[in-house]
Amino acid sequence: MRNTEHLEENLDESTDVSIFAAGALCWRVKKRKLEVLLIHRQRYDDWSWPKGKLDKGETLAECAVREVFEEVGLPITLGIPLPSIRYAVKPGMKQVHYWASSVDDLPPMPDGKEVDVAIWCSPNKARGLLSNPSDLEPLEALTAAHEAGTLETWPLLIIRHAKAKPRSAWTLAEGERPLAATGKRQALYLQRLLMSWHPGRINTSGWMRCISTISPYAQATKAKVKLVPWLTEADHKRNPAKVAATIEKLLTRTNATAVCTHRPVLPTILATLAEHMSPAMGATLPLTDPHLSPGEVLIAHVSIAEPGRIVALEQHKPYED
């Protein structure tokens, strides 16, 4: 059996890449057969995946969702990350990041500006139509995941709270320490980023800096927020097993969920997640302190066919002033 587990890195900011773009391989299963969505662009007379360049200040995930909606009219939620591709263009090297995205049976609707045709087709037909040979790599990863039963997943998002005011500058109760100005901007950035996975539930520490981190997203989406005492620094220190049990319970579900907590709690969460993935994937977890930066997100994609099994990981860096 082919190995379909995928590890996604943060945005590659290497100097040889001059253009960043993002898109998605939309997929569905009709009569037990996998179909993917291809678009034809009249300007270039080519067949490709829905994709486009990042707008200023936009995250890769936001870009992928936006481009699919603008080009074919499909609102999507991102699934497992797929291999990114690079190829040369006139301004230099272009890097395109892709995700898989399961969609309903809605017919694609080309925008008529850039895209004149959008079709559902088999992976084999897509291989024959794709104009850029590089676009075959994410397709092969998607079909391999389908064959292995790891394409259909739900996301568990682990969030370290945004940047807070320094402990040394705070004299009141630790649970009331608020976000710094940068942290407030990180929380707004997270609001936009999380929209790409639409977690409908948020389990969070009840301390102020965690609540403030997830509040913009929760208010914008009406996501259900649950205060979990064990996710605070103090309660975790007294009984880390409660945190492990919380994560274990979440992994038995199938709905997109976010967890917001503190740096000292992360080792317990990461150790629990590691038990649900291959050793090779576990070795890629951010196991060294600080594990995640303030406002950073780790996403574990959990198999629906095999409840509790994590089949892909990705990390998203926080907003930085």
Side-chain angles (χ1 to χ4, degrees), residues 45-171:
D45 189 23
D46 69 351
W47 288 93
S48 66
W49 310 118
K51 66 178 184 299
K53 293 185 289 187
L54 267 68
D55 286 344
K56 185 176 180 181
E58 190 176 42
T59 66
L60 286 165
E62 286 179 277
C63 177
V65 173
R66 175 182 57 78
E67 285 290 339
V68 173
F69 185 74
E70 288 181 355
E71 294 189 340
V72 295
L74 290 177
I76 64 168
T77 298
L78 299 183
I80 62 171
L82 299 171
S84 60
I85 65 170
R86 288 188 182 192
Y87 53 92
V89 292
K90 285 185 179 180
M93 188 64 67
K94 182 175 183 178
Q95 181 164 311
V96 188
H97 290 249
Y98 285 113
W99 282 264
S101 180
S102 172
V103 302
D104 295 328
D105 271 349
L106 295 171
M109 298 172 286
D111 64 1
K113 298 176 182 178
E114 293 185 48
V115 178
D116 59 345
V117 179
I119 63 169
W120 288 103
C121 64
S122 69
N124 193 47
K125 183 175 181 179
R127 292 183 186 100
L129 286 174
L130 285 167
S131 302
N132 186 344
S134 299
D135 279 336
L136 289 171
E137 186 175 359
L139 174 62
E140 297 308 327
L142 183 137
T143 55
H146 174 67
E147 291 167 3
T150 59
L151 183 54
E152 191 174 7
T153 60
W154 65 272
L156 176 61
L157 299 90
I158 308 300
I159 305 166
R160 179 180 171 184
H161 68 73
K163 188 175 180 60
K165 287 190 175 182
R167 294 177 194 266
S168 59
W170 187 252
T171 58

Side-chain angles (χ1 to χ4, degrees), residues 244-270:
T246 296
I247 299 302
E248 289 285 358
K249 184 176 181 180
L250 290 179
L251 285 168
T252 66
R253 298 176 179 175
T254 58
N255 297 318
T257 303
V259 174
C260 186
T261 190
H262 311 260
R263 181 192 58 78
V265 185
L266 290 173
T268 299
I269 292 178
L270 296 175

Side-chain angles (χ1 to χ4, degrees), residues 4 32 49 93 107 112 123 150 171 186 196 228 230 240 250 263 270 292 294 297 319:
T4 60
R32 298 185 179 182
W49 310 118
M93 188 64 67
T150 59
T171 58
Q186 288 176 333
S196 299
V228 182
W230 313 113
L250 290 179
R263 181 192 58 78
L270 296 175
L292 297 174
V297 182
Y319 168 85

